[in-house]
Amino acid sequence: MAPIVRIENLTKSYASGFQALKGVSLDIEEGEILALLGPNGAGKTTMISIVCGIVTPSGGRVTVAGHDVVKDFRRTREIIGLVPQELTLDAFETVFNTVAFSRGLHGRKPDPALIEKILRELSLWDKKDTMLRQLSGGMRRRVLIAKALSYEPKVLFLDEPTAGVDVTLRKEMWQLVERLRATGVTIILTTHYIEEAEEIADRIGVINKGEILLVEDKAALMQKLGRKQLTVELAEPLEAVPEGLAAFRLRLGEGGQSLVYEYDTAGERTGITALLAAMAEQGLRLKDVSTEQSSLEDIFVELVGDAK
Amino acid sequence: MNFEAIKSIYAFEMARTRRTLMQSVVSPVVSTSLYFIVFGAAIGSRVQEIEGVPYGAFIAPGLIMLTLLNQCIGNGSFGIYFPKFTGTIYEILSAPISTAEIVIGYVGAAATKGLIIGTIILATASLFVDITIAHPLLMVVFFVLTAVSFSLFGFMIGIWAKDFEQLNIIPMLVIPPLVFLGGSFYSIDMLPPFWQTVSHFNPVLYLVSGFRWSFFEIADVNPWISLAIVVAFLGACLAVTAWIFRTGYKLKN
Ligand SMILES: Nc1ncnc2c1ncn2[C@@H]1O[C@H](COP(=O)(O)OP(=O)(O)OP(=O)(O)O)[C@@H](O)[C@H]1O
Ligand SMILES: [Mg+2]
């Protein structure tokens, strides 16, 4: 099936001359949840803004459901929802009215019952007649989400939906994302929290300095993460891995002071018992043993660090 | 056409108008009354009449235009400047609406408010002087065309302005001289020939003159020329607005 969002060689240079996107390509499949991770200034918001029509691209092409976002903007914007990173709302509007306004802007007939349902779902119904300026930050974030849901988008962009949101609300937000996905909505969210990406995404993309460094299934990434390293410190240094231990595919550590064994925690047998027995058989004297697990965080830091 | 969107923008702007209507009505009503007292009563007692029209009545169309221009430019510029300023413009830019629809929504609302207040000023004026309208239809045409063109003009200022100072500078610096030198309070026949020539470069002269003709059938320039100039001004504003949106000028990065 053709991807619902296709980004091809997208570039953006701002008027200041700064190049925020350097040829980004990304396909987003219908119905998936894609998390975009990246440090501040990576270009996440810029990319989303181009897809939504807020920023004009310098080069490349974006299609949504097969329509070009520039030429065929009506078709694409009808199905795209956006929850922006900044909490921008009209101070003197009420919650209900601002949500109804969003629905109208997207060409939908008024539907108070639907808006009520959305506001209840986001625990905002008791605030429906409150002026927006009287809301707390977390409530404003939810109002922005309600606005985006009011016109029933097929593709929803959430730009840092959980920034400045407390733990309970963050959990609720994740549940909401899950419910939306169940109705077939494609969701793209940006975040700085790796746990968040781990928790809810199907695929994870890493972007830095205007370039996509990696896009992978979370499952595949997790498998990489599932690997562990066992490091055995030796009392006496070795020249090479002893013949008798070849089956374990060990790596010799720095200065021959240690042996490193990689194993899969998900596997039925880790092979640790056999390895230690074999080492004793070889007459190796062990000084210390330690294990280490690479996390998504490590991969992220490594990727972003390499790019620096 | 995304009619729901136009309706939404228009209704949103009219709700803002309702919240601020009292303050927007009081100030022009007070200042218009002052103009009638000072110009109409004080000067009028000496000038008596111009081309057969009592001075107080003669200045009424100009005063209505003055208020209409100020209101329309003010509303038109503020309506679009404010979302730009607060950032809520993101929603307009990411909605499935065209330039034309955005302009119809905002400018329609600004013009409506201008027309409401203009009508209130007309009613106020009739409390001070006898007003007869010789050509009501033409009067309404001038009224509406002026409201729409200057709301659009204000809209462009709102898009161009980077801060509140820029937002206010044109209405404050440019409009009063144009209105005062545009024959609102006198017939330009009363000016020396040089200034008569200069006055013909002032678009507001045509507005006021045409508008006044629809009341009293006296004019500084042929009313049809006036009408043509107003339509041309509207066309120019439309063309610039279309260019702004095509290029994303100051709206999009
Ligand atoms: N209007 C602008 N003019 C010039 N440069 C800009 C503009 N907007 C963004 N940039 C620059 O483009 C780069 C990418 O910004 P962007 O907002 O897309 O980053 P981001 O990944 O969303 O970051 P964050 O996690 O902080 O939200 C940054 O270096 C930023 O300074
Ligand atoms: Mg951002």
Side-chain angles (χ1 to χ4, degrees):
Chain A
M1 203 169 50
I4 184 121
V5 179
R6 164 158 272 182
I7 300 174
E8 290 169 282
N9 277 322
L10 192 62
T11 59
K12 174 64 191 179
S13 300
Y14 281 106
S16 60
F18 182 81
Q19 193 174 17
L21 293 179
K22 302 167 184 159
V24 166
S25 295
L26 178 64
D27 282 350
I28 299 161
E29 302 300 329
E30 189 160 3
E32 76 168 332
I33 301 179
L34 176 77
L36 271 180
L37 280 166
N40 288 130
K44 303 181 293 293
T45 302
T46 302
M47 191 182 100
I48 290 178
S49 301
I50 292 176
V51 180
C52 297
I54 299 166
V55 168
T56 11
S58 307
R61 202 171 109 91
V62 180
T63 58
V64 175
H67 303 291
D68 187 287
V69 295
V70 178
K71 280 195 228 82
D72 238 346
F73 69 91
R74 260 187 224 270
R75 306 291 289 278
T76 65
R77 294 185 201 166
E78 262 168 16
I79 59 170
I80 297 177
L82 168 65
V83 180
Q85 180 174 3
E86 303 292 332
L87 297 173
T88 42
L89 285 166
D90 285 296
F92 299 101
E93 272 287 324
T94 64
V95 170
F96 189 92
N97 286 348
T98 200
V99 175
F101 174 70
S102 298
R103 184 173 168 84
L105 263 191
H106 284 77
R108 305 295 166 91
K109 293 252 178 301
D111 187 347
L114 175 76
I115 293 175
E116 176 173 346
K117 184 176 151 260
I118 293 170
L119 289 180
R120 282 190 191 281
E121 200 166 13
L122 289 160
S123 325
L124 282 170
W125 183 243
D126 56 327
K127 299 276 182 211
K128 70 182 166 63
D129 297 319
T130 308
M131 289 261 194
L132 293 169
R133 71 195 153 107
Q134 294 165 343
L135 298 181
S136 76
M139 292 172 189
R140 281 173 209 220
R141 177 77 63 197
R142 279 180 279 160
V143 171
L144 287 172
I145 295 175
K147 280 166 79 76
L149 296 183
S150 71
Y151 47 90
E152 304 157 280
K154 276 210 175 86
V155 181
L156 183 62
F157 288 89
L158 299 165
D159 201 353
E160 297 191 26
T162 54
V165 160
D166 68 27
V167 184
T168 332
L169 189 54
R170 183 171 303 167
K171 292 257 157 68
E172 281 177 28
M173 205 83 89
W174 293 351
Q175 285 160 9
L176 176 74
V177 167
E178 210 35 68
R179 284 202 299 279
L180 285 172
R181 190 254 287 277
T183 64
V185 179
T186 307
I187 294 165
I188 298 93
L189 65 100
T190 71
T191 179
H192 292 139
Y193 304 112
I194 291 163
E195 325 82 83
E196 183 159 275
E198 248 180 274
E199 179 77 26
I200 55 177
D202 299 318
R203 278 200 307 158
I204 294 175
V206 177
I207 179 170
N208 189 38
K209 300 197 169 181
E211 285 172 308
I212 298 257
L213 302 180
L214 159 156
V215 186
E216 228 173 305
D217 272 347
K218 187 176 68 178
L221 260 182
M222 285 304 155
Q223 201 152 40
K224 277 189 194 163
L225 302 184
R227 297 198 73 75
K228 257 186 147 175
Q229 280 191 351
L230 173 77
T231 308
V232 180
E233 302 264 349
L234 301 169
E236 278 135 35
L238 288 174
E239 292 281 317
V241 179
E243 289 274 319
L245 298 177
F248 295 99
R249 270 177 270 153
L250 300 176
R251 197 151 46 77
L252 197 58
E254 212 157 298
Q257 295 280 7
S258 60
L259 285 168
V260 182
Y261 173 57
E262 276 206 12
Y263 63 99
D264 193 346
T265 48
E268 211 139 276
R269 299 162 160 261
T270 57
I272 294 175
T273 323
L275 174 68
L276 291 180
M279 280 183 168
E281 219 165 84
Q282 295 286 322
L284 296 178
R285 281 182 49 221
L286 315 184
K287 209 165 85 184
D288 198 2
V289 175
S290 63
T291 65
E292 209 180 319
Q293 179 165 32
S294 57
S295 65
L296 185 49
E297 186 114 27
D298 293 335
I299 295 189
F300 181 67
V301 170
E302 207 172 285
L303 280 170
V304 171
D306 282 353
K308 273 199 179 121
Chain B
M1 268 297 216
N2 185 345
F3 287 109
E4 286 299 329
I6 298 176
K7 231 168 65 188
S8 297
I9 295 177
Y10 185 85
F12 177 91
E13 284 295 294
M14 291 315 285
R16 193 167 60 78
T17 296
R18 267 194 299 283
R19 284 198 297 268
T20 56
L21 193 63
M22 272 323 282
Q23 76 205 52
S24 1
V25 169
V26 170
S27 134
V29 167
V30 168
S31 58
T32 309
S33 304
L34 287 175
Y35 278 121
F36 275 114
I37 292 163
V38 174
F39 285 90
I43 300 179
S45 65
R46 311 218 165 183
V47 179
Q48 310 267 325
E49 47 181 48
I50 296 177
E51 295 178 44
V53 177
Y55 186 69
F58 179 86
I59 63 171
L63 284 177
I64 295 166
M65 276 294 166
L66 175 65
T67 306
L68 190 65
L69 295 195
N70 277 329
Q71 283 297 321
C72 289
I73 291 178
N75 299 327
S77 60
F78 198 76
I80 189 74
Y81 177 79
F82 206 62
K84 229 177 60 166
F85 175 70
T86 59
T88 51
I89 187 100
Y90 88 86
E91 208 180 359
I92 306 287
L93 295 177
S94 62
I97 45 180
S98 67
T99 313
E101 290 153 0
I102 296 174
V103 171
I104 293 171
Y106 278 106
V107 170
T112 307
K113 185 180 176 192
L115 289 171
I116 292 173
I117 294 177
T119 308
I120 294 174
I121 298 301
L122 177 61
T124 311
S126 65
L127 295 179
F128 290 91
V129 289
D130 267 342
I131 289 182
T132 49
I133 304 174
H135 304 278
L137 188 66
L138 192 65
M139 185 282 242
V140 170
V141 169
F142 268 110
F143 208 33
V144 173
L145 279 181
T146 306
V148 172
S149 339
F150 280 82
S151 297
L152 201 52
F153 185 61
F155 186 82
M156 292 188 298
I157 294 174
I159 285 177
W160 164 80
K162 281 205 275 294
D163 49 42
F164 278 98
E165 198 182 332
Q166 290 192 342
L167 188 67
N168 287 323
I169 201 147
I170 297 203
M172 272 175 8
L173 278 187
V174 180
I175 297 305
L178 287 182
V179 171
F180 282 91
L181 301 177
S184 298
F185 300 103
Y186 50 84
S187 162
I188 59 163
D189 290 346
M190 297 155 124
L191 294 175
F194 173 75
W195 289 106
Q196 283 192 31
T197 314
V198 172
S199 295
H200 280 92
F201 290 97
N202 179 355
V204 175
L205 170 77
Y206 299 89
L207 277 184
V208 172
S209 167
F211 194 51
R212 187 182 288 131
W213 190 83
S214 68
F215 283 81
F216 310 123
E217 296 187 303
I218 54 167
D220 287 325
V221 281
N222 181 321
W224 300 111
I225 293 179
S226 287
L227 194 60
I229 299 266
V230 177
V231 171
F233 182 68
L234 178 60
C237 290
L238 282 173
V240 176
T241 313
W243 174 83
I244 284 174
F245 277 89
R246 211 177 41 244
T247 59
Y249 172 77
K250 290 216 178 176
L251 275 176
K252 289 191 194 188
N253 282 308

